[in-house]
Amino acid sequence: MNKSILAKLCVLLMGTGVLYAQQSTEQDTLTKEPVQLDEVLVEGKRKTDPVFSTFKSEPARKIVQSKNVADLFKDINGFGLIKRGNYAIDPSFRASQYEQLNVQFNGGTKVMHACPNRMDPITTHVIPEEIERVEVVKGPYTFRYGPTFGGIVNLVTQEVEKQAKGYHGTVNFGGENNGNALTSFANLKYVGEQFDVNLNFGYRDFGNYEDGDGNEIPSSFRSTDYGVQVGFNPTENQRLQVGFRQSFGRDVLHAGLPMDTEIDDSNVLSVDYKLDNISDGLKTLNAKVYRSKVDHVMTNELRPSFMMTEAVSEVDATTIGGRVELEWRPGSDIKLYTGLDAFSVGRTGERTRLVKRNMMTGDPLPAPMEFVDGVWQDSQIDDYGLFVEAKYPLSTKLLLNVGARYDMVCSKSDDPSDDFIAEYPDLDTRTEHNISTTASFKYMVSSDVLLELAFGRGMRSANMIERYINHFTVGQDPFEYVGNPNLDAEVNNQFELGIKAKTDFENYFFNRLDYGASVYYSIYDNYIVPVIDPTLDKKYMPMAEPTEVKRFVNLDDAYKTGFEVYGELAFLEDFSFKTELSYVYAKNKDLNESLPLTPPLVTRFNFNFEKERIWAKATYTLTSEQSDIALSFGEQVTDGYGVVDLSFGARPFKHFTVGVAASNIFDATYNNHLNFSFVNQADFGRVPINDPGRNLSAFVQYKF
């Protein structure tokens, strides 16, 4: 299956091309400008960035501690974190999550999880210190980077070709007291005229943390990562880059999931190529091919259920993909992008159960009984996409962006269970045809005021869990879930209006005021949710509550609306105060309740002091009560809370940086609405997982 996809991608790589529009950055004053791979969606340029986009830069001097990549999202306005512990953390943006967000790194590379409970999302397979910035497109407003429903998240790793010639290196060490955590990272790179190489190594060891009441939360994990990247510039206008990385997770405890991870291994191989300045009409060709593999082993050995039934699941996921794109210049002011991409994910694996006791009486069985359950039913989903997008200035102040995308999605199950075939007797390879469109305007009222207006129609076909899961518990609630291979693709018709502005002051106490706001409204068609189906019988432990079973279905009537606001005032040259506010309201009209995993109102206040060699930051995050919940999803009302964090950093010497931080300094006991509840834990009932209490951390870095 995957060999055919890889062959097609190789043909595309040799015969077609791509482009990412990106500025050239001067490397030093003595050499020519380098050819840079277009792995950047957002550059901080109002005229070239996608509409309603933002980026967060993470220079090493501002990072104090990150458990994994997901921590980089926690203070980006509009984002929340779906936590099952300290390791398996997924970003949520405007109540869109999982495959509703197009999460990738370096402009297209994906690592798809192997575990049906998402113990191993993409955020666990990249070293946090590798990430130079997080880029976000806030809706279905560009389709050059794959099918997009709720938005794009691009994790940009180190761009070595931009750096000065010679040898460079970094060594980091960090630790924190709440959980006795230790992190380390080492990087060595060489940049030459035609050749560059980048080597990374990271190790993280986190223990169980304590909440504000002193309760120990099972959340420990260890992970080891390394990566190698080699770049070669055969001519002045070409670049070829090959990257390989591996990640090894061990002994991971998941407080909010029924099992723990013994092994979580992944590897990613990617090849990128760029040909620049081809001709007057055809500017750039850019191409990418990648393959990622995740091997995942989970058990219930440390759980109470182990006394009744031993369970071991061994699953794997293989992802193959790539993209090719061309940037055309049919006129001096027109940028036209055409291209195609492909994405294939295949998953296999089984769960082996050794039943040791009678489920009704609890008495030991004379001989344990072994059962083998298919987890993924050897399923595969392939997506082949074509896209076109154009940027055209209607005037010196008004920029129009239009785009369209076609996706052919093929799905199949090679080894379906007998009961699944009984539910879907016509089960066969299915092909869907999805069309997405977008149109947006940017209007420069002045050099300091930008207005944005956008519409996007993004389509997302059902993922593998929604199609093929068969009587497994994969949600926040304890229900068994059954997939539906006949689901229609869900559609997000999103409208958004926004403003970004700034005001500079001269000879005043205040130096600058940056402010902005956006409001959006999404009309959902065929929104996919699990609901109780009375025609289904429970398969495993049929007498245990709940006895009902959920099936994934399409909703007829649902919508989402919300806003984000920010304002930042800089004063006395080195000080600034920033306020951010985000709110989303989502409605499932079919069941007359909220859509699941909808975050509450969040307000954030930041006070910053920053000079060249010393900086400090205080953050107060106020999260409101969330009483608008999805009862059918097992959600509970979540109380509001406030958390204060402090951080301080300095560079006492040229190459040496230190940082200290205190998180949740008042030791508040709280849980976020997106946190999962404890499952199969000896000392906890099914209540939401609390976040960490007070935590002190320290960070040191040597860089040359």
Side-chain angles (χ1 to χ4, degrees):
M1 61 177 182
N2 288 322
K3 290 182 179 179
S4 64
I5 302 295
L6 184 60
K8 293 175 183 177
L9 290 174
C10 290
V11 172
L12 296 178
L13 181 61
M14 295 299 294
T16 331
V18 271
L19 162 89
Y20 263 97
Q22 173 180 339
Q23 71 184 50
S24 295
T25 303
E26 187 173 338
Q27 198 159 355
D28 58 46
T29 58
L30 301 177
T31 61
K32 62 182 182 299
E33 294 181 345
V35 175
Q36 297 170 200
L37 288 178
D38 293 324
E39 298 173 339
V40 180
L41 307 181
V42 184
E43 302 174 293
K45 288 195 168 185
R46 293 182 173 186
K47 290 186 177 181
T48 59
D49 289 348
V51 70
F52 292 107
S53 60
T54 186
F55 73 98
K56 177 188 176 184
S57 180
E58 278 294 331
R61 77 178 213 157
K62 294 183 180 179
I63 296 176
V64 176
Q65 198 69 55
S66 293
K67 296 176 179 62
N68 54 41
V69 170
D71 272 352
L72 304 181
F73 297 95
K74 65 182 180 181
D75 58 351
I76 302 180
N77 203 23
F79 272 89
L81 298 180
I82 301 173
K83 289 187 177 182
R84 305 164 183 86
N86 254 355
Y87 186 78
I89 304 176
D90 273 299
S92 172
F93 180 66
R94 294 178 172 178
S96 293
Q97 54 275 323
Y98 308 149
E99 278 79 358
Q100 290 179 335
L101 290 178
N102 183 357
V103 182
Q104 54 190 256
F105 62 90
N106 292 339
T109 303
K110 292 190 175 185
V111 184
M112 300 303 293
H113 60 95
C115 173
N117 286 110
R118 300 184 69 92
M119 293 179 179
D120 51 346
I122 188 174
T123 53
T124 65
H125 302 295
V126 186
I127 305 173
E129 290 83 359
E130 266 195 280
I131 304 300
E132 289 195 341
R133 62 186 176 278
V134 178
E135 304 171 334
V136 180
V137 179
K138 299 181 179 181
Y141 306 137
T142 180
F143 301 108
R144 293 167 52 200
Y145 315 104
T148 301
F149 177 84
I152 296 174
V153 177
N154 186 39
L155 307 171
V156 183
T157 60
Q158 299 168 7
E159 297 167 299
V160 180
E161 67 272 25
K162 289 184 178 181
Q163 302 193 10
K165 300 293 188 294
Y167 289 94
H168 310 276
T170 303
V171 179
N172 298 348
F173 291 98
E176 57 185 49
N177 74 318
N178 193 346
N180 297 318
L182 172 67
T183 68
S184 59
F185 173 74
N187 169 250
L188 178 64
K189 60 177 72 75
Y190 168 76
V191 183
E193 287 291 341
Q194 289 187 292
F195 173 80
D196 53 77
V197 61
N198 186 29
L199 306 174
N200 293 305
F201 175 81
Y203 176 76
R204 327 183 78 73
D205 187 349
F206 281 78
N208 296 335
Y209 69 79
E210 292 184 354
D211 65 13
D213 288 333
N215 300 309
E216 184 175 321
I217 309 301
S219 54
S220 62
F221 71 90
R222 290 182 293 112
S223 65
T224 305
D225 306 76
Y226 77 91
V228 181
Q229 177 183 296
V230 178
F232 176 62
N233 303 317
T235 64
E236 292 185 0
N237 65 336
Q238 292 187 80
R239 179 168 176 83
L240 177 67
Q241 182 173 292
V242 179
F244 180 77
R245 68 179 70 239
Q246 284 190 294
S247 177
F248 308 94
R250 292 293 184 273
D251 302 326
V252 184
L253 301 186
H254 303 282
L257 296 174
M259 304 174 78
D260 297 311
T261 297
E262 282 196 0
I263 297 173
D264 182 33
D265 294 348
S266 68
N267 61 78
V268 186
L269 174 66
S270 61
V271 180
D272 294 84
Y273 174 75
K274 181 175 182 179
L275 177 62
D276 203 4
N277 299 319
I278 300 172
S279 67
D280 292 337
L282 176 59
K283 185 177 185 298
T284 310
L285 178 154
N286 194 313
K288 173 191 288 285
V289 173
Y290 67 90
R291 178 189 182 275
S292 64
K293 179 80 181 314
V294 178
D295 294 308
H296 189 84
V297 179
M298 47 190 162
T299 76
N300 70 338
E301 183 177 354
L302 302 179
R303 304 302 184 94
S305 61
F306 186 77
M307 295 182 63
M308 300 288 290
T309 304
E310 295 183 23
V312 178
S313 294
E314 299 185 27
V315 292
D316 64 77
T318 301
T319 307
I320 293 178
R323 65 187 306 270
V324 287
E325 184 186 67
L326 295 166
E327 181 187 13
W328 305 84
R329 295 295 176 89
S332 58
D333 296 328
I334 302 175
K335 293 182 179 180
L336 177 65
Y337 306 94
T338 61
L340 49 86
D341 52 45
F343 165 79
S344 173
V345 57
R347 294 186 176 101
T348 61
E350 296 176 333
R351 179 181 65 184
T352 301
R353 293 179 295 128
L354 189 65
V355 179
K356 299 182 289 187
R357 293 178 179 268
N358 187 306
M359 293 297 179
M360 302 297 294
T361 66
D363 296 329
L365 295 175
M369 301 175 61
E370 184 177 274
F371 301 89
V372 178
D373 314 310
V375 176
W376 291 112
Q377 305 189 93
D378 289 0
S379 301
Q380 181 177 341
I381 298 176
D382 302 329
D383 188 315
Y384 305 92
L386 299 171
F387 60 87
V388 58
E389 191 166 320
K391 296 180 183 290
Y392 178 67
L394 299 176
S395 69
T396 56
K397 293 188 174 183
L398 184 61
L399 177 67
L400 169 68
N401 186 90
V402 293
R405 180 180 176 89
Y406 164 75
D407 285 279
M408 182 177 70
V409 182
C410 303
S411 57
K412 66 177 181 178
S413 173
D414 290 332
D415 187 22
S417 302
D418 291 339
D419 59 335
F420 199 78
I421 295 175
E423 284 295 324
Y424 304 103
D426 298 327
L427 185 65
D428 198 357
T429 299
R430 183 185 176 200
T431 301
E432 301 168 79
H433 305 278
N434 301 335
I435 296 179
S436 304
T437 58
T438 185
S440 61
F441 295 92
K442 288 188 175 186
Y443 180 63
M444 296 292 300
V445 179
S446 68
S447 60
D448 295 330
V449 180
L450 173 68
L451 294 177
E452 296 177 298
L453 174 65
F455 166 75
R457 181 183 189 271
M459 296 190 69
R460 180 190 75 89
S461 287
N463 63 31
M464 200 171 288
I465 291 176
E466 295 160 341
R467 293 177 192 265
Y468 297 120
I469 204 68
N470 189 28
H471 289 274
F472 277 78
T473 303
V474 293
Q476 279 186 306
D477 53 41
F479 289 90
E480 288 183 358
Y481 283 63
V482 173
N484 183 352
N486 300 320
L487 288 168
D488 294 325
E490 57 184 11
V491 182
N492 177 17
N493 300 287
Q494 184 166 318
F495 303 84
E496 189 160 357
L497 174 66
I499 182 174
K500 297 177 182 178
K502 66 175 182 176
T503 300
D504 293 316
F505 304 99
E506 294 184 4
N507 302 319
Y508 288 95
F509 174 82
F510 301 110
N511 309 122
R512 188 189 73 257
L513 174 64
D514 293 323
Y515 58 95
S518 62
V519 58
Y520 56 89
Y521 187 86
S522 289
I523 302 171
Y524 290 137
D525 297 326
N526 304 321
Y527 195 86
I528 299 172
V529 294
V531 299
I532 292 175
D533 188 333
T535 68
L536 293 172
D537 296 323
K538 195 173 183 182
K539 185 174 181 179
Y540 305 112
M541 300 180 65
M543 303 305 294
E545 292 291 341
T547 57
E548 298 90 351
V549 177
K550 286 187 173 183
R551 189 198 305 265
F552 287 97
V553 299
N554 290 113
L555 290 181
D556 294 327
D557 201 353
Y559 69 90
K560 176 180 71 175
T561 186
F563 63 85
E564 285 125 27
V565 179
Y566 74 91
E568 183 174 14
L569 182 64
F571 58 97
L572 294 179
E573 300 296 335
D574 303 318
F575 294 88
S576 67
F577 178 77
K578 185 176 184 179
T579 301
E580 297 176 309
L581 186 71
S582 65
Y583 176 72
V584 57
Y585 177 83
K587 190 70 173 180
N588 173 355
K589 287 189 173 182
D590 289 30
L591 299 179
N592 193 30
E593 64 180 21
S594 173
L595 291 174
L597 295 173
T598 299
L601 172 70
V602 177
T603 307
R604 187 177 292 109
F605 304 95
N606 291 305
F607 182 76
N608 292 278
F609 168 76
E610 186 164 349
K611 295 181 74 69
E612 180 64 26
R613 301 185 66 170
I614 187 172
W615 55 93
K617 181 178 182 179
T619 302
Y620 176 48
T621 303
L622 182 63
T623 303
S624 301
E625 176 188 82
Q626 180 57 291
S627 57
D628 195 11
I629 59 177
L631 291 172
S632 66
F633 204 68
E635 291 190 328
Q636 305 175 31
V637 173
T638 306
D639 294 334
Y641 58 89
V643 176
V644 177
D645 302 324
L646 301 175
S647 63
F648 170 82
R651 192 170 69 242
F653 310 107
K654 181 177 180 180
H655 302 292
F656 189 68
T657 302
V658 297
V660 294
S663 304
N664 189 7
I665 63 172
F666 296 115
D667 208 18
T669 302
Y670 69 97
N671 68 273
N672 189 276
H673 182 67
L674 302 185
N675 288 9
F676 272 45
S677 295
F678 291 100
V679 180
N680 195 16
Q681 296 286 347
D683 301 322
F684 299 93
R686 200 172 185 98
V687 296
I689 302 167
N690 283 338
D691 284 274
R694 183 185 298 113
N695 185 34
L696 306 178
S697 61
F699 167 84
V700 294
Q701 179 190 81
Y702 179 75
K703 189 173 184 178
F704 62 92

